[in-house]
Amino acid sequence: MASPQSIGYKGLIYKIAVPSPLRRVFDYLPQDSAKHLDPGTRVQIPFGKRKIVGFIIGEADHSELKLSRLKCINAVLDEEPLFPQEIFNLLLWCSNYYQHPIGEVLSAAIPGKLRSARPLHLKKMFWRISKKVNSKIIEQLTRAPKQKALIELLLPSEGLSKQTILDQGFTQVVINSLQEKNFVESFEQQDPQTITTKPLPKTNLKALSLNNEQAAALDAIRKTENKFECFLIDGITGSGKTEVYMQAMQDQLNADKQCLVLVPEISLTPQTVERFAERFDCQIVSLHSGLTDNERLASWTSARDGSARIVIGTRSAIFTPLSKPGIIIVDEEHDSSFKQQEGFRYSARDIAVMRGREERVPVILGSATPSLESLHNTELNKFSYLSLSERAGGASTATMTILDTAETILDAGFSDQLLFKINQHLSANNQVLVFINRRGFAPILNCLSCGWIAECKDCIAQMTVHTKPPSMRCHHCGNSQRLHSICPNCRSPELSTLGAGTQKLEQFLQQRFTSFPVMRIDRDSTRSKKKFESMLDKIRTGDPCVLLGTQILAKGHHFPAVTLVAIVDADSGLFSPDFRGQEFMAQTITQVAGRAGRAERPGEVIVQSRHASHRILKLLSGSNYIDLAKLLLEERKIAAMPPYAHLALIKADGPQLKATIDLLKQIKSFSTQLILQSESTIHSIGPMPAPMEKKAGRYRSQLLFKATSKPIMQRFLTQLVCQIESLKVATGVKWSLDVDPQEMI
Ligand code: ADP
Ligand code: ZN
Ligand code: ZN
């Protein structure tokens, strides 16, 4: 029998990845006279009836396809690969680890503009005087004064861009007439404006003198001498983590290197960028979802060519190529926004560590509430642990009290004691922060006569009542409906709301504390950036007011005039069905509490709970997140859950539940065989309907895998995914894989 090689094509072919869900690469012939193409170069290729952009992944000296079936690369789009070797390797690793098609991974790692056949650097058209031009010729032009003027404009320059010429009042007709006479000629050049760099001062005059713990942290980072090492800075809010980051960054800038800083959400924490801009006199670019495509491309290119010295961005910025990488910093490393929840589901924090290893640079993860994963890595000595346990600049930490509300009648969620405290702080000219983890007016609308409850037609979930503007909204799929005034089931007008969200609390507090403004800060009220900014400005004046809001308040903002933080309800986190629920609650409460008493004014934190004696709350009130985290780690160990085990979640969704379960049953039978064959210790749980069984009109189910070793899990998933790919999936049903899932809903 002939080997496939002998019937295929012999000669140079390129392996090309395309942005599609197909987990494979395609063979293409080189262009006739093309130079050798390195991995990571973009090319345009014929694909079916279309022309698309693909990436060179590698090459081979033969193809299993016959010459007649092979197509040629149409065009080479990049003069050199878009990614340095290290980043390209990192992206290959990501594709393997997260089991996501390489074409989609590469595509996700570049700015949108480069996903089309656009060249990396747009060249601009310039005009210059041709050699032919001499003083005699200029003389002859006196009857064409515009042409003469243009020649005189171009004469002293080496060439001017077409735009500059037009801006000076010349028309294209004038340029054309001179070109016809061969007096001027055009040439293309990269716009010089995009490659300017700011010089960097070599000393850092504004650096603060560090306290002992900060100095020890900086020393440890310096000792790496720019080799890979990952540090976890466990530093309470206000302990001066950012100051340590900045001094470590200064070292790199002095050595002419670049710094990459990841933050959870730039739009909510613009002050981080401002602080860097105040400190460092060099080009700083940011990369986040609020940019236009052109802005994003400009930031990305200047990071890649080395002109931007500091790159600060959200999750996807972790893939930004740097020409001179020096250090990677992930601030608020515990934040769940570093995990991408759709499509290419990656963890930017975990990739940051891989990237540091690949590029041989130090990585700093910082948080006031480190994730259990990172703490565990310090126990394993994979990360070095650095602690900042005191507030820098002399501010005192807040005290925390748990207020037992088991026997208390609450008014819009508030006990009398809490209201008394709020009044006390406001009257003393201080600000009060009230935290509740739910936006809208109330989570439930029900009928007092027949018990009807407003539910989303597309999800198995209740509609949340909103009053601004009046409506019912599904927080899971975005459905919105007008607010019923009578029950659609029994026509009774006796509709009532249950539970409370930010809007209900806002209404209540406004009526209760009439002489103080109440500022509601949640996803609805901050949608307009301008409105959010004006609220922040008001808060910054330091005048007494109530800041009322959700999660957003826990993210990085400094509220120095706040002396009381009130957490209205801690109980939903205590009994969450999600195995990360308690960790998440502890992080949120600690982060929100960290907003109080940052300045000289001592702060206090009051947490209301009907389970005040719960051990988690007890530990939290000792302001000891780390002890609590250690306890939670113990529990995870006993339950064999992350970080002591590794999870992978296969999800299926479709128009009927049964079809999704059927698909997962097939996958489960594949997995059982694989596990038997390899005798590996992998457990599967399910298939079962997802905790949120129906969302946006689609039914969802899931199958969970658990393994104690990452390599075993990875090998298993690679084989499993290969088998799933060969399955014929029922129409309308989709499956996806989430490696190291954060959310199980
Ligand atoms: P974190 O990032 O841990 O929340 P920051 O770096 O923002 O802490 O520091 C909190 C406050 O303390 C800031 O106002 C900062 O200027 C100040 N600070 C930090 N380090 C020092 C220091 N060594 N001496 C005096 N003030 C400091
Ligand atoms: Zn009714
Ligand atoms: Zn819905």
Side-chain angles (χ1 to χ4, degrees), residues 44-77:
Q44 193 177 45
I45 48 169
F47 195 78
K49 290 202 173 79
R50 297 175 301 147
K51 274 187 192 168
I52 62 167
V53 173
F55 279 91
I56 303 282
I57 295 295
E59 57 182 72
D61 59 5
H62 72 273
S63 170
E64 289 177 14
L65 296 174
K66 281 192 228 156
L67 180 61
S68 57
R69 308 237 4 237
L70 285 167
K71 288 184 188 160
C72 225
I73 291 172
N74 284 137
V76 177
L77 301 172

Side-chain angles (χ1 to χ4, degrees), residues 447-452 487-492 495:
C447 167
L448 296 178
S449 308
C450 76
W452 168 88
C487 169
N489 188 42
C490 74
R491 322 293 301 162
S492 155
L495 292 181

Side-chain angles (χ1 to χ4, degrees), residues 207-212 214-215 233 235-247 275 279 331-332 367-368 388 390-395 556 558 594-595 598:
L208 301 173
S209 86
L210 300 180
N211 64 30
N212 289 346
Q214 286 175 313
I233 302 189
I236 61 168
T237 314
S239 61
K241 293 183 291 296
T242 312
E243 185 61 35
V244 175
Y245 304 155
M246 290 197 291
Q247 299 202 19
R275 263 176 95 179
R279 176 66 63 91
D331 192 25
E332 308 294 356
S367 175
L388 304 182
E390 276 167 24
R391 287 198 167 174
H558 301 184
R595 312 295 132 194
R598 285 188 64 111

Side-chain angles (χ1 to χ4, degrees), residues 391 394-401 421 424-425 430-433 559-566 592-607 621 623:
R391 287 198 167 174
S396 54
T397 41
T399 53
M400 191 185 289
T401 318
K421 276 283 183 190
Q424 200 180 34
H425 281 258
N430 290 319
Q431 294 180 347
V432 171
L433 189 160
F559 302 118
V562 167
T563 53
L564 172 67
V565 170
V592 178
R595 312 295 132 194
R598 285 188 64 111
E600 298 65 39
R601 311 184 208 195
E604 74 176 305
V605 181
I606 298 177
V607 180
S621 64
S623 300

Side-chain angles (χ1 to χ4, degrees), residues 161-176:
S161 77
K162 182 175 149 190
Q163 196 54 50
T164 317
I165 297 172
L166 297 180
D167 289 349
Q168 301 277 330
F170 296 96
T171 60
Q172 186 66 47
V173 179
V174 181
I175 304 177
N176 291 351

Side-chain angles (χ1 to χ4, degrees), residues 520-535:
R520 176 168 57 89
I521 299 178
D522 56 25
R523 196 131 54 84
D524 302 309
S525 73
T526 56
R527 210 156 273 151
S528 144
K529 214 176 152 187
K530 233 170 145 184
K531 241 176 94 187
F532 186 33
E533 280 300 320
S534 91
M535 277 197 284

